[in-house]
Amino acid sequence: MGFFSKLFAGTVFTFKPDFSKTEYENWLEYLHVGGTDSEWKELKKRNHWKFKPDPIEKFSKYDSELRPVFSEYGELIKIIKEQWSALYNSNNYTGQLAQTVESNCIKAISYYKEIQSIDIKYNQDLMTGSPAFTKLALLYERQGNFDKSILVCKAACKVGIDEKSRLKRMIKKAGRTPTAEELKLIDN
């Protein structure tokens, strides 16, 4: 062993990374030409190398950020659907259960918006559609609060959910003509 360590002691090879590849691809190439993992870490640290983002790593970050929010959202939607069924059967849209449904819908809408912002951050297809908007608009309609229902429909349209027909109905039930903003939402 002593002979080989003396023979290769002065041998230094240079490695030029390909920055059009991911770190993982460069690391594999480095190992292939005789480098070690610890040498790779030292070289990367010393030279401040920044590589092309790894799509698997990017998706992993997206998934780890999205999963807890989506889980909370999914559980809340399940609860809202169960509560809505009980609310519908009771036909009491102003009691405690109605307030709970309203609160849960508002919370679910905030989760929905957070999910969409995560989708945008990671350049993923946006989540479209949510029963939280529909149930909240319907709850306000059943309460006779058409202006609040209109606000929910407008918010839904702005995040890509098609609530145009309900928006038109609520404006008609409110007994007024649509504003320029509402007409724009309806026409798009």
Side-chain angles (χ1 to χ4, degrees):
M1 279 292 238
F3 173 73
F4 284 111
S5 63
K6 288 180 184 175
L7 181 65
F8 293 109
T11 306
V12 175
F13 69 93
T14 58
F15 178 78
K16 292 192 182 359
D18 181 351
F19 292 104
S20 68
K21 295 181 178 178
T22 65
E23 179 182 344
Y24 178 73
E25 293 167 319
N26 277 284
W27 173 74
L28 286 177
E29 184 63 29
Y30 184 74
L31 294 178
H32 181 71
V33 297
T36 66
D37 190 46
S38 59
E39 291 171 340
W40 171 258
K41 288 176 184 172
E42 180 57 38
L43 271 174
K44 194 177 98 173
K45 183 178 177 182
R46 183 176 48 218
N47 293 308
H48 306 288
W49 288 339
K50 299 288 181 206
F51 297 99
K52 174 181 146 185
D54 186 342
I56 294 170
E57 199 173 299
K58 182 181 176 185
F59 183 79
S60 179
K61 286 181 184 177
Y62 166 70
D63 187 56
S64 66
E65 193 171 332
L66 179 68
R67 188 167 302 277
V69 179
F70 191 79
S71 292
E72 291 290 324
Y73 170 80
E75 286 297 317
L76 199 50
I77 291 299
K78 182 180 173 187
I79 291 168
I80 289 168
K81 286 179 179 181
E82 291 168 358
Q83 290 172 336
W84 183 262
S85 180
L87 187 66
Y88 179 82
N89 289 330
S90 75
N91 202 24
N92 179 3
Y93 297 101
T94 57
Q96 181 60 43
L97 183 56
Q99 291 173 3
T100 303
V101 168
E102 177 184 24
S103 174
N104 285 340
C105 285
I106 291 168
K107 191 173 184 179
I109 289 169
S110 73
Y111 284 138
Y112 179 86
K113 289 178 179 180
E114 190 175 348
I115 288 167
Q116 278 200 329
S117 69
I118 294 168
D119 288 342
I120 290 168
K121 177 180 174 182
Y122 288 95
N123 199 28
Q124 298 292 318
D125 291 336
L126 293 180
M127 180 176 164
T128 56
S130 174
F133 286 96
T134 305
K135 297 300 185 199
L136 187 58
L138 192 54
L139 175 65
Y140 290 146
E141 178 185 4
R142 300 269 168 97
Q143 291 173 345
N145 196 338
F146 304 120
D147 289 328
K148 276 188 170 183
S149 186
I150 290 168
L151 289 174
V152 173
C153 292
K154 286 169 39 175
C157 290
K158 288 177 184 176
V159 295
I161 299 173
D162 187 10
E163 284 288 336
K164 296 174 195 174
S165 57
R166 185 182 312 279
L167 177 59
K168 285 190 265 184
R169 262 194 337 272
M170 293 305 102
I171 291 169
K172 190 174 182 177
K173 282 187 173 187
R176 63 175 181 81
T177 58
T179 65
E181 175 198 17
E182 291 165 350
L183 281 174
K184 188 176 176 182
L185 289 172
I186 291 167
D187 291 337
N188 283 340

